């Protein structure tokens, strides 16, 4: 290897390592973002708890949960611990869209469980089933079939 190439290669590797480390440090978990709420009607139902109806929505980071009604439940310390959505449920992230009949978002483990006739879309890819467990921080999804049904999907290769 020529003597001039080695320092350039070492510099390139060092810059790439710092860029990767900086990106990892600046990327925040969605579950640590503030939670916003909105609806046609709603109110506080207890310490850390709320009830929303009519175009109800909860937002966190770039994600949005919409439904006919949404109820937030607080723990014994008055801290919001879970959000339950029912009726025409949609959960949308910058890269995925999930539709179902009911959803429960458990804040402590950053997991949303959507049940009913569940449809998960990512770009042109579509997966359907009866129960989807989705981690909002990692994007990991696990679909299960419904009563007497199997999961089904259509996946497109890159570029198609």
């Amino acid at each position: 290897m020529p003597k001039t190439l080695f320092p350039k290669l070492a510099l390139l590797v060092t810059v790439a390592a710092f860029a990767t480390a900086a990106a990892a440090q600046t990327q925040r978990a969605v579950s640590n973002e503030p939670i916003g709420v909105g609806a046609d009607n709603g109110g506080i139902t207890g310490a850390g708890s709320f009830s929303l109806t009519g175009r109800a929505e909860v937002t966190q980071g770039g994600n949005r949960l919409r439904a006919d009604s949404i109820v937030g439940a607080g723990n014994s310390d008055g801290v919001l611990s879970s959000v339950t959505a029912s009726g025409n449920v949609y959960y949308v992230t910058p890269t995925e869209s999930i539709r179902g009949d009911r959803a429960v978002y458990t804040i402590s483990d950053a997991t949303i469980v959507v049940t009913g006739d569940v449809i998960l879309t990512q770009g042109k890819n579509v997966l359907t089933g009866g129960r989807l467990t989705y981690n909002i921080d990692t994007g990991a999804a696990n679909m299960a079939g419904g009563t007497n049904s199997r999961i089904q999907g259509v996946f497109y290769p890159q570029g198609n």
Side-chain angles (χ1 to χ4, degrees):
M1 182 177 293
K3 289 183 181 181
T4 58
L5 184 57
F6 182 72
K8 290 178 184 175
L9 182 59
L11 177 63
L12 180 63
V13 170
T14 303
V15 169
F18 279 119
T20 302
Q25 288 177 352
T26 59
Q27 186 178 20
R28 295 180 56 184
V30 173
S31 63
N32 291 332
E33 296 290 326
I35 295 174
V37 299
D40 292 335
N41 301 293
I44 296 172
T45 57
S49 300
F50 61 85
S51 177
L52 307 171
T53 58
R55 298 186 300 169
E57 68 179 11
V58 172
T59 58
Q60 189 174 34
N63 299 350
R64 178 181 311 269
L65 174 64
R66 288 186 6 212
D68 294 336
S69 67
I70 297 177
V71 175
N75 63 20
S76 60
D77 296 328
V79 176
L80 184 63
S81 60
S82 68
V83 174
T84 302
S86 58
N88 298 307
V89 173
Y90 288 90
Y91 185 75
V92 181
T93 75
T95 57
E96 289 96 13
S97 176
I98 303 166
R99 190 198 73 72
D101 299 328
R102 186 170 190 274
V104 177
Y105 170 35
T106 305
I107 296 166
S108 63
D109 64 5
T111 301
I112 186 166
V113 177
V114 182
T115 56
D117 294 323
V118 181
I119 302 170
L120 167 64
T121 59
Q122 182 182 51
K124 292 198 270 184
N125 301 326
V126 179
L127 185 63
T128 63
R131 177 184 171 93
L132 174 72
T133 303
Y134 180 84
N135 184 292
I136 69 165
D137 288 337
T138 66
N142 184 11
M143 182 76 78
T147 306
N148 300 321
S149 67
R150 300 171 2 142
I151 66 170
Q152 296 182 351
V154 177
F155 298 92
Y156 293 87
Q158 280 295 83
N160 292 330

